[in-house]
Amino acid sequence: MAEIVYPPVIGAARTLFRALDLKIRVEGAERIPRTGGAVLVSNHISYLDFIFAGFAALPARRLVRFMAKKEVFDHRISGPLMRGMHHIPVDRAAGASAFGAAMKALKAGEVVGVFAEATISRSFTVKDIKNGAIRMAVAAGVPVIPVALWGTQRLWTKGRPKKLLQRHVPVTILVGESMHPKRGDDYDAATVDLRTRMAELLDRAQRTYPEQPQGVWWQPRHLGGTAPTPEEAAQMDEAGAKEREARRQA
């Protein structure tokens, strides 16, 4: 397919990263296959995660097609960009369409990016994930590649002001060993394994991060930060979902 939008967007992002002197560290990029389909599954802590998760695939000269909620495609600014980069819209009321589009991309040899937690983790830990990534990989006969991001939440995350022009922020991107689920496997057990791998990668990213302050909002509670605990974050997500439903009903 023609790539008119994606390369210029990548170029602009790289220029901005250099201007802001972001300290981006990527480990394990060689685990992204140079050819063929793959499902890349990342944790989700920032509205910018698709940029940085996709950054991990650049050394392999791959462009990742991310699955993102339909509302992003409906936006007057982000929508044309998302469509131009051939990302995949997800309408949660009609998930079969997104699954079909992802399968088509995988079978065509594309890398499909998935944020299996569905929403941003306010606790900055890995939330429970569903087995959709595993099912897609099995159906398409492709590997699953776990990825952990850390530092991106400092730029723009849920419930915090945007700091898109903040300088010198370290960003860590870790790519894990690929998984190769197959037909006949227990999909739920494979999903638990995937979440465990993601959590281990994230923990390593957090503990090796260049900055280890105490009492800051962007650190998880178990590392001395003031982010919500997973339980508190779940309650906040539930309250937010109820508010959105009430607005829709109104």
Side-chain angles (χ1 to χ4, degrees):
M1 67 181 73
E3 298 295 348
I4 299 172
V5 177
Y6 218 145
V9 169
I10 292 172
R14 281 178 151 169
T15 298
L16 180 61
F17 295 164
R18 285 194 295 268
L20 295 176
D21 192 31
L22 298 189
K23 308 297 185 181
I24 301 175
R25 175 170 67 98
V26 182
E27 290 186 11
E30 71 279 359
R31 292 169 174 159
I32 306 290
R34 290 186 171 270
T35 60
V39 179
L40 187 154
V41 186
S42 173
N43 68 311
H44 200 9
I45 53 175
S46 167
Y47 292 109
L48 305 176
D49 285 340
F50 75 96
I51 297 174
F52 292 96
F55 199 83
L58 294 184
R61 300 182 183 277
R62 306 302 303 273
L63 299 176
V64 183
R65 314 301 177 182
F66 284 97
M67 303 183 73
K69 62 183 181 180
K70 178 178 175 292
E71 288 81 358
V72 178
F73 291 80
D74 293 338
H75 191 274
R76 64 184 181 87
I77 296 175
S78 63
L81 290 173
M82 295 294 282
R83 288 189 291 273
M85 290 184 281
H86 307 294
H87 294 313
I88 301 169
V90 178
D91 184 346
R92 289 171 184 166
S97 175
F99 188 90
M103 288 300 303
K104 182 178 179 180
L106 289 169
K107 290 181 178 180
E110 299 276 4
V111 178
V112 171
V114 176
F115 295 107
E117 297 165 278
T119 59
I120 288 175
S121 171
R122 298 174 187 263
S123 66
F124 306 136
T125 60
V126 180
K127 300 166 63 175
D128 289 339
I129 64 177
K130 298 187 182 298
N131 64 17
I134 297 294
R135 291 192 297 111
M136 283 195 301
V138 171
V142 302
V144 175
I145 304 171
V147 173
L149 304 175
W150 188 242
T152 61
Q153 77 280 15
R154 298 175 63 180
L155 301 172
W156 188 16
T157 193
K158 184 179 289 187
R160 305 293 306 188
K162 299 178 189 176
K163 293 189 176 181
L164 301 179
L165 300 181
Q166 187 175 183
R167 293 174 56 79
H168 315 304
V169 175
V171 173
T172 299
I173 305 168
L174 302 184
V175 182
E177 295 280 358
S178 60
M179 299 172 58
H180 298 272
K182 58 185 184 299
R183 294 187 187 279
D185 287 352
D186 183 328
Y187 292 177
D188 290 335
T191 301
V192 170
D193 183 20
L194 172 59
R195 181 183 180 277
T196 298
R197 294 179 185 222
M198 293 170 62
E200 289 173 349
L201 282 173
L202 178 58
D203 184 69
R204 181 157 66 87
Q206 291 168 335
R207 294 181 186 277
T208 60
Y209 194 65
E211 299 178 16
Q212 296 289 338
Q214 298 289 299
V216 296
W217 66 265
W218 53 264
Q219 276 279 53
R221 192 74 64 86
H222 70 277
L223 292 179
T226 61
T229 65
E231 294 75 21
E232 291 169 345
Q235 292 174 356
M236 295 167 71
D237 287 343
E238 183 178 357
K242 288 180 179 178
E243 289 177 7
R244 290 191 296 274
E245 180 60 26
R247 286 197 297 269
R248 281 195 293 267
Q249 294 293 335

